[in-house]
C-alpha cells in the first residue's frame, strides 16, 4: 500500500474517532468507534485485499494470542463478567454462548465484542433495553 493511501486511511480513522468523541449516545459512539476499529483492522491485517470481518477478527485473535501484555483493564473484565453472570451472551448464528468465566481468555473477549457489534448492526440489540446499553457502554471502555 502506498504511503498516500495509508495516510488517507489513517485520517479516516482519526475523523471517525473524533466524531465518536463528540457523541454522548453510547450506541452511536459504539457504531462509529467500530467503524474506526474496522478500518484499523483492515490496515493491519488486510492491506492489499478485501477480506470479511470474520477473517479480520480471527487475525486479531491470533495476533493477541502471541502477546503477553494485558490490553483490557481487569476491572473492565470484571464488570463484563458481572453482566454475563446475570445472562450469558449468545451468538444468534450458531447458538454458541460466552459465559462470565470465558472472559479469562482474550479471544473470548474479542469474540464477545464482535457479537455485540453483530447484534447491534443486525437489529438484535435494543436502544431502550438496559442490559444492551450496559454492554455497549462497557465495551466502549475497551
Amino acid at each position: 500500500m502506498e504511503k498516500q493511501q495509508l495516510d488517507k486511511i489513517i485520517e479516516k480513522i482519526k475523523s471517525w474517532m473524533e466524531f465518536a468523541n463528540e457523541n454522548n449516545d453510547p450506541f452511536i459512539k459504539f457504531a462509529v468507534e467500530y467503524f474506526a476499529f474496522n478500518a484499523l483492522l483492515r490496515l493491519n491485517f488486510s492491506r492489499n485485499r478485501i477480506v470479511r470481518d470474520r477473517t479480520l477478527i480471527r487475525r486479531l485473535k491470533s495476533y493477541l494470542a502471541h502477546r503477553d501484555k494485558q490490553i483490557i483493564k481487569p476491572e473492565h473484565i470484571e464488570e463484563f463478567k458481572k453482566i454475563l453472570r446475570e445472562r450469558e451472551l449468545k451468538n444468534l448464528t450458531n447458538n454458541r454462548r460466552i459465559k462470565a468465566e470465558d472472559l479469562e481468555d482474550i479471544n473470548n473477549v474479542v469474540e464477545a465484542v464482535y457479537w455485540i457489534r453483530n447484534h447491534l448492526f443486525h437489529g438484535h440489540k435494543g436502544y431502550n433495553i438496559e442490559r444492551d446499553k450496559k454492554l455497549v457502554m462497557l465495551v466502549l471502555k475497551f
Side-chain angles (χ1 to χ4, degrees), residues 66-88:
H66 298 89
R67 306 207 19 111
D68 292 333
K69 187 177 175 184
Q70 184 167 6
I71 61 168
I72 301 172
K73 292 181 180 179
E75 59 267 25
H76 296 153
I77 296 293
E78 287 307 313
E79 193 176 343
F80 203 0
K81 286 180 181 181
K82 183 179 175 185
I83 295 171
L84 295 190
R85 281 187 194 105
E86 295 172 11
R87 192 171 88 226
E88 300 166 344

Side-chain angles (χ1 to χ4, degrees), residues 6-18 35-36 39:
L6 187 61
D7 289 344
K8 281 183 181 180
I9 294 170
I10 291 169
E11 282 307 309
K12 287 178 186 177
I13 292 169
K14 287 179 182 177
S15 68
W16 280 124
M17 295 303 296
E18 288 170 10
F35 299 157

Side-chain angles (χ1 to χ4, degrees), residues 112-141:
V113 173
Y114 185 61
W115 291 3
I116 291 167
R117 172 259 184 220
N118 287 347
H119 293 178
L120 179 63
F121 285 22
H122 299 292
H124 300 287
K125 287 273 173 241
Y127 182 77
N128 59 348
I129 298 171
E130 191 59 34
R131 180 177 188 263
D132 293 348
K133 190 172 186 177
K134 282 182 189 177
L135 284 168
V136 168
M137 289 172 64
L138 175 63
V139 297
L140 281 170
K141 296 176 185 178

Side-chain angles (χ1 to χ4, degrees), residues 14-70:
K14 287 179 182 177
S15 68
W16 280 124
M17 295 303 296
E18 288 170 10
F19 181 70
N21 287 332
E22 294 168 3
N23 278 279
N24 293 324
D25 182 281
F27 290 92
I28 292 172
K29 191 174 184 76
F30 176 83
V32 171
E33 285 196 12
Y34 202 91
F35 299 157
F37 175 68
N38 196 290
L40 190 59
L41 287 177
R42 289 190 184 287
L43 188 64
N44 284 289
F45 299 118
S46 73
R47 283 191 181 183
N48 297 320
R49 58 189 166 89
I50 297 174
V51 298
R52 300 178 63 95
D53 286 353
R54 167 50 64 196
T55 301
L56 293 172
I57 293 299
R58 275 194 219 111
R59 289 176 181 174
L60 173 63
K61 290 182 345 183
S62 176
Y63 170 78
L64 292 174
H66 298 89
R67 306 207 19 111
D68 292 333
K69 187 177 175 184
Q70 184 167 6

Side-chain angles (χ1 to χ4, degrees), residues 93-119:
T93 304
N94 64 16
N95 207 26
R96 190 171 155 235
R97 297 172 186 272
I98 294 179
K99 301 175 212 143
E101 58 269 16
D102 297 332
L103 297 178
E104 296 298 326
D105 181 349
I106 188 64
N107 285 335
N108 289 325
V109 176
V110 170
E111 198 65 32
V113 173
Y114 185 61
W115 291 3
I116 291 167
R117 172 259 184 220
N118 287 347
H119 293 178

